[in-house]
Amino acid sequence: MKDCSELYPIFILDPWFPKNMQVSVNRWRFLVESLKDLDESLKKLNSRLFVVRGHPAEVFPGLFKAWKVTRLTFEVDTEPYSKQRDAEVVRLAAAHGVQVIQKVSHTLYDTDRVIAENNGKVPLTYRQLQAVLAGLGPPKQPVLAPTLETLKDCCTPGRDNRDPKYEIPTLEELGQDPKEAGPCLYPGGESEALSRLAFHMKRMTWVCNFKKPDTEPNTLSPSTTVLSPYVKFGCLSVRTFWWKLAEIYRGKKHSSPPVSLHGQLLWREFFYTAGAGIPNFNRMEGNPICVQVDWDDNPEYVKAWKEGRTGYPFIDAIMTQLRTEGWIHHLARHAVACFLTRGDLWVSWEEGQKVFEELLLDADWSLNAGNWQWLSASAFFHQFFRVYSPVAFGKKTDKSGAYIKKYLPILRKFPAEYIYEPWKAPRSMQEQAGCIIGRDYPKPIVEHEALSKRNIMRMKAAYAQRSHSKAAQVEKESTKKGGKRKLPAGPSVVELLTKKPKAKSS
Amino acid sequence: MGWMFRHQKSAGVRQELPHSLERPAVLENFPKALWNEVFHIPDLWRKFEFELTQPATSYLKSTHPDLIQQIIKRHANHLQYVSFKVDSSTESAEAACDILSQLVNCSIKTLGLISTAKPSFMNVCKTHFASALTVVFINSKSLSSIKIDDTPVDDPSLKVLVANNSDTLKLLKMSSCPHVSPAGILCVADQCHGLRELALNYYILSDELLLALSSEKHVNLEHLRIDVVSENPGQVEFHTIKKQSWDALVKHSPKVNIVMYFFLYEEEFDAFFREETPVTHLYFGRAVSKAMLGRIGMNCPRLIELVVCANGLQPLDDELICIAERCKNLTAMGLGECEVTCRGFIEFVKMCGGRLTQLSIMEEVLIPDNDYNLDQIHSEVSKHLGRMWFPDMMPTW
């Protein structure tokens, strides 16, 4: 704010995002709410939010001239599109004589620095990351929010006339039908984020004893903080969250990473660092850490899974909660991810990634890609022989199936004995429950017992292929220039006739 | 009729075969007569995967019925590598059988029946299935690889297989085929001396079978996979195989991989590994008892790979150290839900050293003790393995 006479807080509504990503109406709503909230907060500081529509590279030149901008500041963003976009903006700004200040604030640490400290390599395990961070000291403190005092020499021209072209968009303008949105359980915005944070931080014993794996995936209301959407959108600063927790921990006995609340923020840091440093992180092909697996091409399976029609109530209930409310517990995410990929349907994790990207309020490029690879045993994790059972896993924490009944009311009348496997209920019971399996609720899409065994073989083969090619690579690198060089044969007649068009990338 | 491109994998190379009977739009200028000639080149029809589904209930694509007819009419004798992929409905499995019944005049080398969702072939009437399968067995006469897991294949069908293909059969996978008896599979081993790979369930494994596979006329067996499955605890009593039978097998085929997949409940392991057993790859899909793991250490000197999904709440230190001591060929280990002290685990790794090329253990399995805590585990183990190593964990974000 130093030497600042005019301030223009802007948010750019970049058309790249709706074109290249799936975004559910729930997440659009969250964004709109967040923008409204930010605008309100800025109004209290005698300022306002300008929502600018268009590609950053196209809108900035006009703004630089119209507003006589001399300085531009925005936070460092590690995603591939963002890096490219921001580099272009920096070039444009230079051409217009605008000074650019970029700060790291979306992550606890500077991801580039973390990688550099690890000999230029991305830490591939949580423990490795912890070791590197230990050498860097604690994260920076969050910068304090501006106040009327700090902004006293500054004004925002045009804040009163509310030019409509900079107004917060409505859902309709964004092509969304508000009637399609689910219940608004998690309203967007910084005010909401801070009040939720304050609420949870009051429960000091809970915070200190917090162990994420012990929280339950199928409670009727969330067993964790659900601060993830707010952190994703920047409504809550991850550093604010970190230091608030540190304050509560001080002088008390408390759980530690990876299971503590601090540990959760470090998980986020882990995936952000991986996403920043590993090429093609959100794909299997061209991704150096990802096992290459012969996933099946099965769009109908993906649809059934996405729409909660697999015939496995635990899976379908989770996907229903995801679609209507935009948030599910991490263990619920594990269960459905394993089911889609290596457990049952043998569909590529990239398909699951797309669905989560669309439906989650906290959809985050790095976290989504990283977790999908982890859960499909494609990277970071190798115990492919341990599969979540779509029948047994949920029973551990919800024997009566109350969670299932909440999200799949058609199954409400099934007794606990059959609620996880309704196809096993005798016909008379199904009739009594008013739900015939195969007619009112689908039959199971696959037989888990049989398929999971076969899938373990397939995964084993993929892993064997990986060690084989790794060994071959090592051999290739160690053999010298000697040896016959095979000339590439010309295409055979069959190949010429059956040339496949280049597969489109996802 | 739209045109569909079907993917086929042949030795790692993806080939796309045009599978419409009409010339595709992009080849509009390609003369139709030439198109038909090209479309029916025998070489394009060596390998085919029939995909059979019921559109009303299925999620999979289906091979067009007209195309199926064309293949049967014009290309049955070109087919060499055939597979059938069926969905969860009995009708699809029956359709597969209908096609099989029509594959006369063919010289099929490999045949695979794949159930994608559940064992649908098991719902087909046994006689219908058997008669369809025997058409191929009788007519092909040079079958070398057959995959018929989860089907109602029976002893008489296997007799027909043997009568016509004993010289060429190299691979037979028939896990979970409940209508085959020990005598049925014995007949195969007795006559098919070129058999190199066999997959079956434990209940049809017999001493006589192992001896037949070790007879002088028999080639070296390369791969024997045995599934040991129990649906309900206590219902099945497992017979034992004599040590001499195993010895004979290994003497005849010193490099054979013997792979055993166990899906049993803890109380059911008593019959196994009471004597030296030459198993090389062991996989426990459910829980396995501590006592069983102890016996494995004592009696499985050829063990190369061990995977344990779950054990219990008592540390497995002693069992692991015994395994390290006596299973000198062990190169891969995976431990799921069990308990091991850090000290015990490090001792195990020290004894195995760099020969452990694959080691996977969940971090939560390791119990810190007076000698080591979790932070030291990674550096100690990495030191002994000669490479960077970390335990596995699940992310909690």
Side-chain angles (χ1 to χ4, degrees):
Chain A
M1 262 359 113
K2 252 204 293 215
D3 315 320
C4 172
S5 59
E6 283 175 11
L7 173 70
Y8 292 90
I10 63 169
F11 180 87
I12 301 189
L13 210 52
D14 184 346
W16 185 91
F17 286 99
K19 202 152 64 138
N20 290 279
M21 278 174 62
Q22 308 297 314
V23 184
S24 69
V25 58
N26 289 339
R27 194 154 84 250
W28 278 123
R29 180 176 61 185
F30 193 97
L31 174 64
V32 167
E33 288 163 349
S34 305
L35 294 175
K36 281 204 184 109
D37 182 69
L38 183 56
D39 188 39
E40 289 301 312
S41 306
L42 287 167
K43 275 194 205 151
K44 297 194 184 100
L45 297 173
N46 294 328
S47 182
R48 64 157 289 181
L49 180 66
F50 295 86
V51 177
V52 186
R53 292 136 172 85
H55 289 288
E58 286 164 13
V59 305
F60 270 125
L63 293 177
F64 289 157
K65 288 207 191 82
W67 292 342
K68 303 196 186 54
V69 177
T70 54
R71 190 188 291 162
L72 170 67
T73 178
F74 51 89
E75 101 186 326
V76 166
D77 192 332
T78 54
E79 294 172 17
Y81 165 67
S82 313
K83 279 191 192 154
Q84 184 197 322
R85 168 201 68 196
D86 295 349
E88 216 186 323
V89 168
V90 165
R91 266 194 306 273
L92 266 176
H96 284 84
V98 173
Q99 180 200 20
V100 174
I101 299 174
Q102 272 186 283
K103 299 265 186 189
V104 170
S105 53
H106 193 57
T107 46
L108 292 168
Y109 296 87
D110 179 347
T111 50
D112 287 343
R113 172 95 190 276
V114 170
I115 295 172
E117 291 285 315
N118 195 42
N119 296 319
K121 294 209 282 272
V122 170
L124 290 180
T125 68
Y126 189 90
R127 296 288 178 201
Q128 241 178 338
L129 177 74
Q130 277 185 297
V132 175
L133 296 184
L136 293 176
K140 291 208 172 94
Q141 289 273 355
V143 172
L144 296 170
T147 60
L148 278 170
E149 181 59 35
T150 52
L151 290 178
K152 67 178 185 331
D153 296 325
C154 196
C155 78
T156 298
R159 68 175 166 94
D160 288 325
N161 68 14
R162 305 299 305 192
D163 188 342
K165 77 167 181 265
Y166 297 128
E167 272 307 326
I168 318 270
T170 57
L171 278 177
E172 288 82 349
E173 183 200 324
L174 296 168
Q176 302 299 312
D177 181 358
K179 288 197 290 297
E180 307 253 307
C184 187
L185 300 178
Y186 315 109
E190 185 183 25
S191 313
E192 181 72 29
L194 292 174
S195 90
R196 279 176 182 248
L197 179 69
F199 169 77
H200 286 295
M201 296 301 107
K202 273 209 213 65
R203 308 155 68 196
M204 291 201 262
T205 318
W206 180 79
V207 167
C208 287
N209 292 336
F210 187 91
K211 286 199 182 125
K212 194 82 178 327
D214 294 348
T215 56
E216 292 173 0
N218 44 7
T219 47
L220 295 177
S221 62
S223 54
T224 55
T225 65
V226 196
L227 285 170
S228 54
Y230 301 95
V231 176
K232 172 243 164 20
F233 274 102
C235 300
L236 172 62
S237 151
V238 68
R239 289 173 182 174
T240 300
F241 196 174
W242 177 275
W243 286 104
K244 203 69 207 158
L245 289 168
E247 212 181 284
I248 295 179
Y249 288 159
R250 212 191 324 267
K252 301 193 198 68
K253 217 171 134 210
H254 59 87
S255 55
S256 298
V259 300
S260 63
L261 279 170
H262 256 190
Q264 303 323 295
L265 299 182
L266 290 181
W267 273 113
R268 178 176 177 274
E269 203 71 11
F270 174 82
F271 287 117
Y272 262 88
T273 312
I278 292 169
N280 299 307
F281 189 59
N282 67 333
R283 293 206 287 275
M284 178 176 82
E285 218 175 295
N287 179 342
I289 64 163
C290 186
V291 178
Q292 306 295 306
V293 177
D294 66 335
W295 303 112
D296 287 335
D297 177 22
N298 217 323
E300 290 294 336
Y301 270 6
V302 181
K303 239 170 140 242
W305 175 82
K306 176 178 177 181
E307 293 166 12
R309 291 186 283 113
T310 66
Y312 283 92
F314 182 58
I315 303 294
D316 292 341
I318 293 170
M319 294 307 287
T320 303
Q321 184 187 20
L322 173 60
R323 193 178 63 252
T324 53
E325 297 176 8
W327 179 91
I328 47 177
H329 188 275
H330 82 275
L331 288 175
R333 298 183 199 201
H334 287 193
V336 300
C338 185
F339 187 88
L340 179 72
T341 57
R342 64 192 173 87
D344 296 72
L345 301 185
W346 203 257
V347 168
S348 167
W349 59 270
E350 293 180 61
E351 294 298 325
Q353 183 182 224
K354 275 187 226 153
V355 172
F356 270 26
E357 178 182 86
E358 179 183 345
L359 299 177
L360 281 170
L361 292 175
D362 61 28
D364 183 303
W365 189 90
S366 315
L367 291 165
N368 205 14
N371 273 294
W372 272 100
Q373 285 173 73
W374 200 300
L375 262 305
S376 60
S378 300
F380 308 116
F381 174 76
H382 312 97
Q383 293 221 344
F384 59 83
F385 45 86
R386 288 181 70 208
V387 165
Y388 290 87
S389 162
V391 168
F393 184 59
K395 277 191 202 173
K396 288 202 278 208
T397 44
D398 175 24
K399 276 202 176 57
S400 70
Y403 174 84
I404 292 177
K405 294 179 184 184
K406 174 176 177 183
Y407 291 103
L408 299 176
I410 188 85
L411 296 175
R412 229 176 331 123
K413 300 219 181 95
F414 276 85
E417 196 189 341
Y418 293 109
I419 186 73
Y420 286 89
E421 307 166 276
W423 62 89
K424 288 197 174 157
R427 176 86 185 192
S428 54
M429 176 170 295
Q430 293 182 27
E431 274 162 8
Q432 239 186 345
C435 174
I436 305 298
I437 304 304
R439 189 189 73 195
D440 306 309
Y441 178 76
K443 288 206 196 126
I445 189 175
V446 297
E447 194 181 282
H448 172 75
E449 285 297 318
L451 263 276
S452 56
K453 288 189 188 113
R454 172 138 50 91
N455 290 343
I456 286 167
M457 302 311 148
R458 286 180 88 167
M459 205 69 200
K460 209 170 190 292
Y463 268 68
Q465 184 83 299
R466 184 174 170 82
S467 357
H468 185 76
S469 60
K470 263 200 187 141
Q473 203 183 28
V474 169
E475 214 186 294
K476 209 170 39 163
E477 282 163 13
S478 61
T479 53
K480 293 296 193 283
K481 288 178 222 145
K484 292 182 262 171
R485 193 151 26 112
K486 248 177 47 183
L487 288 165
S492 69
V493 170
V494 174
E495 279 167 46
L496 279 173
L497 288 169
T498 59
K499 207 171 178 90
K500 175 177 142 170
K502 195 137 207 294
K504 63 170 161 57
S505 52
S506 55
Chain B
M1 189 195 322
W3 64 323
M4 302 172 291
F5 265 67
R6 182 72 71 238
H7 294 238
Q8 295 213 9
K9 286 177 206 172
S10 166
V13 173
R14 278 178 159 249
Q15 283 183 335
E16 290 245 18
L17 290 179
H19 284 167
S20 165
L21 305 181
E22 291 182 2
R23 201 179 21 171
V26 295
L27 292 177
E28 244 166 33
N29 297 321
F30 207 74
K32 190 158 183 191
L34 185 54
W35 166 256
N36 281 333
E37 200 182 301
V38 162
F39 186 79
H40 290 293
I41 288 176
D43 270 323
L44 294 179
W45 299 97
R46 297 262 174 256
K47 186 174 162 133
F48 198 81
E49 180 164 84
F50 292 92
E51 291 184 61
L52 301 161
T53 68
Q54 301 309 301
T57 53
S58 173
Y59 299 95
L60 305 174
K61 308 178 281 259
S62 206
T63 310
H64 199 285
D66 290 353
L67 178 58
I68 294 176
Q69 284 317 304
Q70 278 272 317
I71 291 173
I72 293 172
K73 250 191 346 207
R74 295 181 66 161
H75 297 291
N77 55 336
H78 302 141
L79 290 172
Q80 287 181 353
Y81 311 98
V82 182
S83 54
F84 291 83
K85 232 168 152 182
V86 305
D87 66 2
S88 57
S89 70
T90 313
E91 290 85 353
S92 305
E94 281 167 356
C97 293
D98 287 337
I99 298 172
L100 279 170
S101 319
Q102 297 179 71
L103 293 180
V104 287
N105 297 329
C106 50
S107 49
I108 295 178
K109 295 202 173 103
T110 77
L111 174 67
L113 301 180
I114 304 163
S115 311
T116 60
K118 49 167 74 108
S120 335
F121 284 102
M122 291 309 299
N123 297 328
V124 174
C125 156
K126 195 157 85 81
T127 35
H128 183 193
F129 180 81
S131 72
L133 202 57
T134 49
V135 166
V136 176
F137 287 171
I138 291 173
N139 283 277
S140 288
K141 297 204 192 302
S142 56
L143 283 164
S144 85
S145 157
I146 302 176
K147 296 184 186 172
I148 43 177
D149 312 86
D150 294 297
T151 63
V153 63
D154 55 11
D155 289 359
S157 314
L158 290 181
K159 270 215 174 79
V160 173
L161 168 68
V162 164
N164 292 277
N165 300 276
S166 58
D167 291 339
T168 51
L169 191 65
K170 295 200 174 74
L171 180 151
L172 176 60
K173 297 210 165 164
M174 32 168 275
S175 305
S176 307
C177 294
H179 300 302
V180 176
S181 76
I185 187 64
L186 182 59
C187 171
V188 177
D190 267 336
Q191 305 289 324
C192 302
H193 299 139
L195 192 64
R196 295 170 202 281
E197 285 193 46
L198 178 61
L200 41 60
N201 280 37
Y202 188 78
Y203 76 91
I204 56 174
L205 185 70
S206 62
D207 296 298
E208 291 80 6
L209 180 65
L210 293 180
L211 293 173
L213 291 168
S214 318
S215 78
E216 222 182 282
K217 289 175 285 185
H218 209 103
V219 302
N220 291 352
L221 192 67
E222 289 169 15
H223 195 96
L224 176 64
R225 177 182 150 165
I226 305 160
D227 282 14
V228 192
V229 183
S230 144
E231 297 307 315
N232 297 299
Q235 273 200 4
V236 183
E237 254 205 55
F238 294 99
H239 62 286
T240 45
I241 299 290
K242 296 200 187 75
K243 183 174 179 307
Q244 300 96 289
S245 313
W246 286 120
D247 288 346
L249 181 68
V250 176
K251 185 151 179 248
H252 182 75
S253 307
K255 297 213 180 92
V256 65
N257 279 333
I258 300 174
V259 180
M260 292 184 78
Y261 278 78
F262 283 87
F263 296 96
L264 298 184
Y265 295 89
E266 264 198 56
E267 328 70 277
E268 298 176 298
F269 286 105
D270 282 350
F272 298 97
F273 306 130
R274 295 208 166 268
E275 289 181 302
E276 197 174 293
T277 315
V279 63
T280 53
H281 298 72
L282 269 179
Y283 172 88
F284 292 97
R286 293 198 193 110
V288 57
S289 66
K290 201 167 178 318
M292 174 73 155
L293 289 172
R295 292 203 299 277
I296 288 166
M298 297 301 290
N299 293 322
C300 301
R302 289 178 90 233
L303 193 65
I304 295 173
E305 181 176 295
L306 174 63
V307 172
V308 175
C309 281
N311 170 253
L313 293 173
Q314 286 178 301
L316 294 174
D317 294 17
D318 295 337
E319 287 75 13
L320 283 185
I321 288 170
C322 180
I323 288 171
E325 232 166 33
R326 298 173 62 110
C327 302
K328 292 284 183 216
N329 297 309
L330 189 74
T331 58
M333 165 97 110
L335 289 176
E337 291 173 43
C338 1
E339 297 224 331
V340 185
T341 66
C342 290
R343 187 195 54 78
F345 186 66
I346 289 171
E347 185 65 34
F348 166 78
V349 177
K350 200 156 134 191
M351 292 171 75
C352 293
R355 64 179 157 96
L356 270 183
T357 53
Q358 289 181 70
L359 179 61
S360 167
I361 184 168
M362 296 298 285
E363 193 188 73
E364 67 218 29
V365 161
L366 294 164
I367 310 169
D369 52 43
N370 293 327
D371 298 321
Y372 296 101
N373 63 30
L374 287 175
D375 292 325
Q376 295 162 301
I377 273 280
H378 123 77
S379 54
E380 281 297 312
V381 170
S382 301
K383 190 170 74 187
H384 294 305
L385 290 180
R387 64 177 193 273
M388 186 77 98
W389 178 93
F390 285 90
D392 275 307
M393 56 192 327
M394 291 313 282
T396 52
W397 176 277

